[in-house]
Amino acid sequence: MQVEARPASDAPPEADVVAVPVGPSGVPENATSLDDVSRVAEEEELAEHAGRTAVLYPDGPARRIVLVGLGPAEELDADTIRTAAAEVAGAAERVKGTLAWLLDDSLPHSEQARAIVDGLLLGSYDPGRWKSDAKAEPPFERLVLVGGSDELVEQAERAATVAEAANRARDLANTGANELTPERLADHAAELAAQHENLTVDSLGPDEFTKLGMGAFAGVAQGSHNPARMIVLRYEPPSPKGDVLLGLVGKAITFDTGGISIKPALYMEDMKGDMSGGGAVIEGIGVVAELGLPVRTLAVVAASENAVGGGAYRPGDSLTAMNGKTIEITNTDAEGRLVLADALHYARELGATHLVDFATLTGAMNRAFGDLYAGVMGNDDAWRDEVVAAGEASGDHAWPWPMHRRYRSLIDSAFADMKNSSVRGQAQPTYAASFLEEFVGEGPWAHVDIAGTAFFTWPRNDYLSQKGGTGYGVRLIAELATKLSA
C-alpha cells in the first residue's frame, strides 16, 4: 500500500474514498466543506460510538465518504483508531483505489498514522484464503494522510511493513498441519532469508539436534512421522549498534494432539495454531531485516508435531535436556515447555545476550487474560518491563507477571531434576515459566505467554475481528528491536 501525506485544504481531497473521523470535538475542520458531513455525524451520534460508520454517496470526486466515530475522549486511544480504520475498510470494501484519511487532533499525528495503517491492513485480513473465490488484496492501493507532514509517510510505511509481516504470520498459523509441517516451516524460513542480504538460516534435523543432546525436543518429536526441525535464523546488520544480540525463541508445534495425554476433540482443529509463537519469531526477525534495524538478532524456533503413536513419549518417561538437566514427564500435553527448554539453551549457547520467547503455553493464561493481553514473566524485571512496553507501544498488549522463586517447588520431582507439569491447579503460567527459567542460562530473559492472544477461536470485537491467527508478537518484536537500536 502506497502512502502519501498532503496538507489540509478547504477543497475536498481527490480520492475514491474519504474517511472522516468524528471524535469528541466533532468532525475535523478540513471536513466542513464536504456536503452533509456535519449533519449526518450529529444525526448518527458518531462522536459517542467508537467504530460506528455512516456512508455518504457524494456528487464530487470521491465515490464514498465514510464517517466513523471515535467515541468518548476518555476511551480514545490507538486501538480506537485501529478499529475505526478497520470499519472504514469494511464499509468501502468494494471501492478500493485511493483512501484519503482526514487527520484530526484526537491523537498525535504520528500515532494516528501508525494506527490507521494497522487498522486497514490487520483489520481487512481475510483468513479464508483456502476458499475457491479467495482474494488476497489490500483494502486500498494508496493511503493519503490529509493534514499530515511528509515525515508521517516514513512512519506509516514502516507500520505497513510490520503489519504485512504480522499478516504473513497469520497465514502460517491458519495453514493446516497437512500443509505446514515442520519441514515446510523450515522451508518458509529459508525463503524469507533469501529475500534479505543480511539474514541467514540453518535448519537442524533429527540426527543433528539429537547429536547436540536436545533430548527434551527430541522426546516431543519422536511420535510424529513428520520430522522435526530446529530452525535458526541470524540477522547481522552491516553496522550494528551496541553489544546486544537479541535472541528470539519461538514454540512452533505445527499440530498439538496433546500426545498420549490427548486433548478433547472440541476445538482441536485450532491446534494448528500452536505454532503461532514460532511463526511470529520467523516473521519478526524477517521484518527486523526488512527495516534494516542496526541490532544483531538471532531466532531459534523449535518446530515439531506433538503426535500420538507407537513411538510417542509417555507419562513417566525421563528426558535429558541439552543443558544436562533431567525431566520427568507427567503430562505429554505440556510439550511446549519441553521444546522451548532446548531452544532457549541453544539460543544462549549461540551467543544471545537478551532472550525473549513467544509461546502459546498455558490455557490458564487464556482464562486469566482472555484474548487481549499476553502475560510476560522473566528473570530480570527491567528487561521484562522493556518487553511489556514494546508490546503496549505496538498494539500487542502485554502485562507483567511475578516470578517468585517459591513457584519452582511446583515442578519438583521425586525421580528427576524436575517434572514438566503439576496436577495442582495453582499458578500454571508462572510455574511453567519457572520450568523455562531452568534453561535460560545467564543474562536477561523474558517469557511471553500468548495462549489467548495468538489464535482466536471466536472473533474479537475490534480491528482483530477474524477467527484464527492474529500475528501477535510481530509488532512487539519490531518495536523492541527498534528501541534496542535507538
Side-chain angles (χ1 to χ4, degrees):
M1 184 172 63
Q2 181 183 350
V3 182
E4 299 177 14
R6 294 181 188 172
S9 171
D10 291 335
E14 293 185 5
D16 297 285
V17 178
V18 177
V20 181
V22 184
S25 301
V27 300
E29 290 185 9
N30 53 352
T32 55
S33 61
L34 301 174
D35 293 342
D36 293 330
V37 163
S38 296
R39 176 181 61 81
V40 173
E42 185 175 350
E43 289 177 355
E44 296 291 333
E45 298 179 338
L46 297 180
E48 290 81 38
H49 296 89
R52 177 181 289 184
T53 59
V55 182
L56 305 181
Y57 300 82
D59 294 329
R63 296 161 62 191
R64 303 284 191 279
I65 297 174
V66 182
L67 284 68
V68 60
L70 301 183
E74 62 271 17
E75 297 178 9
L76 205 163
D77 58 12
D79 274 351
T80 305
I81 304 294
R82 293 184 180 105
T83 300
E87 293 296 333
V88 168
E93 64 178 345
R94 287 178 293 278
V95 179
K96 306 294 183 183
T98 297
L99 169 68
W101 188 287
L102 307 188
L103 298 173
D104 64 0
D105 59 357
S106 58
L107 292 175
H109 284 181
S110 60
E111 191 172 358
Q112 281 190 62
R114 290 180 58 179
I116 290 165
V117 170
D118 271 356
L120 292 175
L121 295 179
L122 299 176
S124 62
Y125 174 84
D126 182 3
R129 69 178 182 90
W130 290 267
K131 296 181 179 181
S132 57
D133 60 349
K135 296 179 181 178
E137 299 177 353
F140 298 98
E141 297 171 3
R142 189 165 61 119
L143 169 64
V144 179
L145 300 169
V146 180
S149 59
D150 288 341
E151 65 186 23
L152 289 184
V153 174
E154 182 179 352
Q155 297 173 43
E157 288 177 338
R158 177 192 183 280
T161 298
V162 176
E164 287 164 357
N167 280 343
R168 290 194 295 271
R170 298 168 89 173
D171 285 343
L172 293 174
N174 291 333
T175 300
N178 60 323
E179 295 183 35
L180 191 72
T181 63
E183 289 177 293
R184 180 65 193 99
L185 186 61
D187 290 343
H188 175 79
E191 291 161 7
L192 182 67
Q195 299 171 22
H196 303 288
E197 182 179 359
N198 300 309
L199 186 62
T200 59
V201 65
D202 190 17
S203 179
L204 308 181
D207 291 343
E208 295 162 299
F209 60 70
T210 300
K211 186 176 181 180
L212 287 171
M214 297 183 184
F217 180 48
V220 174
Q222 70 189 37
S224 175
H225 292 294
N226 290 310
R229 292 289 183 269
M230 186 67 78
I231 303 165
V232 180
L233 289 148
R234 296 174 181 269
Y235 169 62
E236 294 287 348
S239 301
K241 289 186 178 180
D243 299 324
V244 169
L245 174 55
L246 175 61
L248 307 172
V249 175
K251 170 192 171 185
I253 300 296
T254 56
F255 194 81
D256 183 14
T257 68
I260 289 175
S261 307
I262 197 164
K263 291 180 178 292
L266 186 63
Y267 298 124
M268 194 193 282
E269 65 271 20
D270 288 353
M271 288 301 100
K272 65 183 180 180
D274 207 23
M275 45 62 61
S276 295
V281 164
I282 290 171
E283 294 299 338
I285 195 172
V287 84
V288 170
E290 188 170 355
L291 294 173
L293 299 177
V295 58
R296 298 173 63 228
T297 308
L298 166 75
V300 178
V301 175
S304 174
E305 290 184 343
N306 186 23
V308 182
Y313 75 130
R314 299 155 291 256
D317 285 0
S318 180
L319 304 179
T320 302
M322 190 180 182
N323 69 347
K325 294 186 178 181
T326 56
I327 306 161
E328 177 197 1
I329 303 304
T330 57
N331 185 341
T332 63
D333 194 26
E335 86 296 332
R337 64 204 69 178
L338 296 172
V339 304
L340 286 174
D342 284 335
L344 285 163
H345 178 79
Y346 193 45
R348 191 72 84 184
E349 190 173 81
L350 292 175
T353 61
H354 293 67
L355 286 173
V356 56
D357 72 74
F358 296 82
T360 49
L361 205 65
T362 65
M365 182 61 71
N366 187 16
R367 291 190 290 275
F369 273 172
D371 57 18
L372 189 59
Y373 278 85
V376 185
M377 291 148 269
N379 64 355
D380 182 286
D381 288 353
W383 177 239
R384 177 204 64 194
D385 291 347
E386 198 166 346
V387 172
V388 169
E392 288 300 288
S394 68
D396 280 343
H397 294 301
W399 198 264
W401 279 49
M403 278 278 289
H404 196 282
R405 63 184 180 278
R406 291 181 183 172
Y407 287 117
R408 171 62 177 78
S409 64
L410 291 173
I411 55 170
D412 285 345
S413 167
F415 306 102
D417 292 327
M418 70 200 81
K419 59 188 177 184
N420 75 325
S421 69
S422 170
V423 296
R424 295 169 68 173
Q426 298 177 325
Q428 292 175 7
T430 311
Y431 82 66
S434 297
F435 178 95
L436 297 180
E437 191 176 13
E438 297 287 319
F439 304 92
V440 300
E442 297 296 324
W445 155 75
H447 160 61
V448 188
D449 191 332
I450 61 176
T453 57
F455 195 96
F456 292 170
T457 298
W458 306 281
R460 205 166 75 183
N461 62 341
D462 61 6
Y463 67 103
L464 293 175
S465 61
Q466 303 87 359
K467 178 179 168 62
T470 67
Y472 184 99
V474 175
R475 290 182 292 170
L476 188 158
I477 290 167
E479 187 72 22
L480 181 64
T482 299
K483 297 294 185 185
L484 290 174
S485 60

